[in-house]
Amino acid sequence: MLVGGGEGAFVEDQVTVLSRGAAQRGHMLIEVMRKLLLFAAFLPLLLSAQETVDQDTNWRIRREAAEHSHVMRTLHMLTDRYGPRLTGSPQHEAAAKWSAATLTEWGLKNVRLEPWKWGHPGWSNERASGFLITPVQDTLTFEVWAWTPSTDGPVTGRAVELVPPETPTKEELTAWLDANRAKVQGRMILLGKAAVVRVAFNPQNKRVEDSELRSRFDPIHPSPPNFPQRPQPVAGKLTANQIDEMIDPWLAANGALLRIRDAGREHGQIRAFANKSYDIAKAVPTVVLRNEDYGRIERLLGDGEDVQLKFDIVNHTYPAGETSYNVVAEIPGTDKSSEIVMLGGHLDSWHAATGATDNAIGVSMMMEAVRTMQALGLKPRRTIRIALWSGEEQGLLGSQAYVKEHFGKFEEPKPEFSNLVAYFNIDSGTGRVRGASVFGPPEAAAAVRTALAPFEDLGIVGAAESKSRNIGGTDSTSFSNAGLTGIGMSQDPIEYGSHTWHTNLDTYERIVPDDAMKASTVIAAAVWHVANREQPLARFSKEQMPPPPKPETEAAKPATK
């Protein structure tokens, strides 16, 4: 018996050698494939590295923006003088005309107000006061709900709290309305229980950690930000809007004096939105009471007290407001003037405050970006066009109307569709610009990343590609939805989500001037770079273009912008 030798051992050795050779070849093939994949992933970066960045102009932009900035003066006018700027209101129209006149004064060309119809009257609140008069006396803190009527002079009435069923069916809500009809006449109606607003022990960060941003803007494996998701409708159950559509006319038909909503937020913050029908005949005078006052009244009612309230509200409607306006102006291009690079933000606001962080500061940054380029006498190759939108807060209506009129969409393009190189948008408050989301293939994001890279010292991290054509959040998505290159600028939150977004605290005082000046610097340089590249930004080909979303998946204005 042979052990560890002989012919059998020789054959085994040959098999082992062959196996090892195959394994080595397999490892080599895997390594080659890995390197090819890495090369493909980094190819956009390699291509972008070949781009020439105009560092001399970047430094001139930095100096002009730092030494002669108009951004806070522009903000002051849009907020203190012309705020709030509710779509369709005289204040918005006046703000649009002032912006157009200012852009003209700065030397921009083709300045105009482009009208579009949204089919509803304008509305504004002139004045409002409210008081708790029994069993104690105090002044109430509240905001008026838009597109609701005035009171009939000063009115006094007993407070009654009614609590509708949660997420009812239409039949369940109808039964509840029938059962409570007799409780409404001549009363001030608190709809729903007071929200329990807990003390926050972990306040929201005002700056985004660099590590989080590096992950978000990683060119190879970007991680999208975690935005809160909208509650999805439940089959057979009414949504909050559908509940209001039944309750508001029911209150009007049964003689309620006033509807009172709970703001449900801490420290006196109030968000006031609108009667979705935009028809004051379908609602009663309506206010949003700060949570602290709403809770106090609820507790007094719980004690069996006779709570009497007094309100005096004066509102106005404006039939001419069904036509609103986008402000448009240009720095004409030279040898590539037929191609267009756009930048902008929405000029309209809600009415609880003067709309500083949403979005007067964004408009001020964009206006400052074009002022800086104009003041330096820069002559871009492509035409640079600024647009200040209205109707954003009602569902991106102004920018959607503009895109439809001028560009069409990828599936049905208009002649100008091929001329638009990109649209830059900003709409997230006072924070520094930290990066950009670019609708398009990796090469487009890589080019924007190159344009932003010289401003790492100002907090810039990078740019990431996007493939989403969903409408929602802000005006850049109107462009992306059409298949155009929409670029959304990402910012530090500061107090946006926690304090100022759509609240009665959204005023001039909540702006960080240094952040605003740095953001306008970055935007001016990025727009200048894209306007002067030899080639337009890459677009999705017909084979690459994501399909448009189904209408039911498009969300107007999610809670995070």
Side-chain angles (χ1 to χ4, degrees):
M1 183 178 181
L2 299 173
V3 178
E7 185 176 346
F10 173 77
V11 172
E12 182 179 352
D13 287 344
Q14 295 302 305
V15 171
T16 301
V17 169
L18 291 171
S19 298
R20 287 175 179 167
Q24 289 172 349
R25 288 192 296 274
H27 286 309
M28 290 175 63
L29 181 60
I30 291 171
E31 183 64 17
V32 169
M33 291 297 293
R34 187 182 71 83
K35 290 180 177 179
L36 286 172
L37 288 171
L38 283 173
F39 177 77
F42 279 101
L43 182 59
L45 300 179
L46 295 173
L47 293 173
S48 68
Q50 298 173 7
E51 292 194 21
T52 301
V53 175
D54 187 351
Q55 294 287 22
D56 178 64
T57 299
N58 280 354
W59 280 110
R60 294 176 65 199
I61 288 172
R62 283 177 182 257
R63 178 174 294 179
E64 174 65 27
E67 296 179 359
H68 306 290
S69 177
H70 286 42
V71 70
M72 296 305 291
R73 172 65 182 174
T74 301
L75 176 75
H76 158 63
M77 294 301 294
L78 293 178
T79 56
D80 300 331
R81 178 63 181 85
Y82 295 110
R85 304 168 304 281
L86 195 65
T87 298
S89 70
Q91 297 97 313
H92 174 268
E93 184 173 345
K97 289 178 177 178
W98 178 85
S99 300
T102 300
L103 291 165
T104 300
E105 180 184 333
W106 290 345
L108 275 78
K109 307 300 181 184
N110 303 321
V111 182
R112 57 201 182 273
L113 299 185
E114 292 200 11
W116 61 277
K117 285 187 178 292
W118 69 305
H120 302 294
W123 179 96
S124 70
N125 168 250
E126 178 185 330
R127 65 181 185 270
S129 59
F131 306 94
L132 174 59
I133 58 175
T134 63
V136 293
Q137 294 78 47
D138 204 353
T139 300
L140 300 172
T141 300
F142 66 95
E143 296 292 338
V144 178
W145 201 248
W147 283 278
T148 58
S150 307
T151 57
D152 186 13
V155 294
T156 300
R158 178 178 296 171
V160 174
E161 185 176 59
L162 299 177
V163 183
E166 291 187 16
T167 60
T169 63
K170 184 175 181 179
E171 293 73 21
E172 289 169 342
L173 184 57
T174 299
W176 181 86
L177 295 175
D178 289 342
N180 287 276
R181 193 179 305 277
K183 301 175 183 178
V184 171
Q185 178 73 35
R187 301 289 190 261
M188 307 272 189
I189 307 299
L190 285 76
L191 252 296
K193 298 289 291 182
V196 178
V197 182
R198 303 293 185 188
V199 174
F201 289 96
N202 297 300
Q204 189 179 63
N205 288 338
K206 297 186 180 183
R207 300 285 189 196
V208 182
E209 296 292 341
D210 286 355
S211 58
E212 179 184 338
L213 287 167
R214 281 192 290 270
S215 175
R216 186 186 305 177
F217 295 113
D218 185 325
I220 310 304
H221 300 294
S223 60
N226 294 319
F227 290 141
Q229 297 298 309
R230 281 182 177 274
Q232 294 300 308
V234 179
K237 301 289 187 178
L238 298 176
T239 65
N241 285 341
Q242 290 170 331
I243 292 172
D244 276 350
E245 287 171 2
M246 293 181 65
I247 286 180
D248 281 337
W250 173 78
L251 290 171
N254 289 282
L257 292 178
L258 193 86
R259 175 176 177 172
I260 302 174
R261 294 171 176 264
D262 174 22
R265 297 182 63 81
E266 65 181 0
H267 303 155
Q269 294 178 25
I270 300 171
R271 285 178 177 165
F273 297 115
N275 165 20
K276 291 298 180 65
S277 73
Y278 302 101
D279 183 351
I280 65 171
K282 295 181 179 179
V284 296
T286 302
V287 301
V288 188
L289 205 58
R290 69 173 178 172
N291 179 251
E292 295 85 349
D293 285 343
Y294 196 100
R296 181 186 189 183
I297 294 171
E298 180 183 80
R299 291 186 293 273
L300 289 171
L301 290 171
D303 292 338
E305 297 274 12
D306 178 16
V307 180
Q308 297 277 336
L309 307 176
K310 181 178 181 179
F311 282 87
D312 184 10
I313 299 170
V314 179
N315 300 325
H316 300 283
T317 56
Y318 306 93
E322 70 174 17
T323 297
S324 190
Y325 302 91
N326 296 321
V327 182
V328 181
E330 295 176 343
I331 301 176
T334 54
D335 61 309
K336 295 179 179 289
S337 61
S338 62
E339 297 179 19
I340 303 162
V341 178
M342 291 188 66
L343 69 161
H346 72 91
L347 183 60
D348 67 303
S349 74
W350 283 110
H351 58 289
T354 56
T357 66
D358 190 18
N359 180 41
I361 191 57
V363 167
S364 300
M365 291 171 182
M366 293 310 201
M367 290 179 67
E368 178 64 11
V370 295
R371 187 207 66 79
T372 299
M373 289 183 276
Q374 188 70 21
L376 292 172
L378 299 181
K379 304 297 182 185
R381 300 183 70 185
R382 296 179 176 87
T383 296
I384 294 172
R385 181 183 295 170
I386 184 171
L388 312 178
W389 313 112
S390 62
E392 193 269 358
E393 298 295 1
Q394 287 69 47
L396 320 183
L397 301 182
S399 59
Q400 286 193 71
Y402 183 90
V403 169
K404 182 179 180 181
E405 173 69 22
H406 286 267
F407 305 118
K409 58 183 178 180
F410 181 79
E411 291 76 15
E412 299 174 28
K414 292 192 172 183
E416 288 185 81
F417 186 91
S418 60
N419 294 346
L420 184 71
V421 174
Y423 167 72
F424 289 80
N425 189 78
I426 195 161
D427 184 20
S428 296
T430 184
R432 295 178 300 176
V433 169
R434 306 302 303 278
S437 173
V438 183
F439 178 78
E443 299 91 326
V448 174
R449 191 179 303 115
T450 298
L452 297 175
F455 299 93
E456 184 178 0
D457 63 307
L458 301 187
I460 289 292
V461 173
E465 64 180 290
S466 168
K467 297 180 179 178
S468 174
R469 292 181 68 180
N470 287 335
I471 288 180
T474 192
D475 293 296
S476 56
T477 65
S478 295
F479 289 79
S480 303
N481 175 262
L484 296 161
T485 306
I487 302 174
M489 309 306 290
S490 298
Q491 298 171 261
D492 279 327
I494 312 298
E495 300 168 332
Y496 190 67
S498 60
H499 291 78
T500 66
W501 179 64
H502 294 167
T503 77
N504 55 325
L505 306 183
D506 190 9
T507 64
Y508 179 98
E509 288 75 14
R510 301 279 63 79
I511 300 303
V512 181
D514 186 63
D515 279 18
M517 287 186 284
K518 288 175 178 175
S520 61
T521 301
V522 171
I523 292 163
V527 169
W528 173 254
H529 180 87
V530 173
N532 289 281
R533 296 179 76 243
E534 187 61 37
Q535 298 297 326
L537 292 182
R539 285 187 178 181
F540 287 123
S541 66
K542 182 177 181 180
E543 294 72 26
Q544 293 172 322
M545 180 63 70
K550 297 178 180 179
E552 62 268 21
T553 67
E554 294 185 358
K557 202 71 177 175
T560 55
K561 284 278 189 185

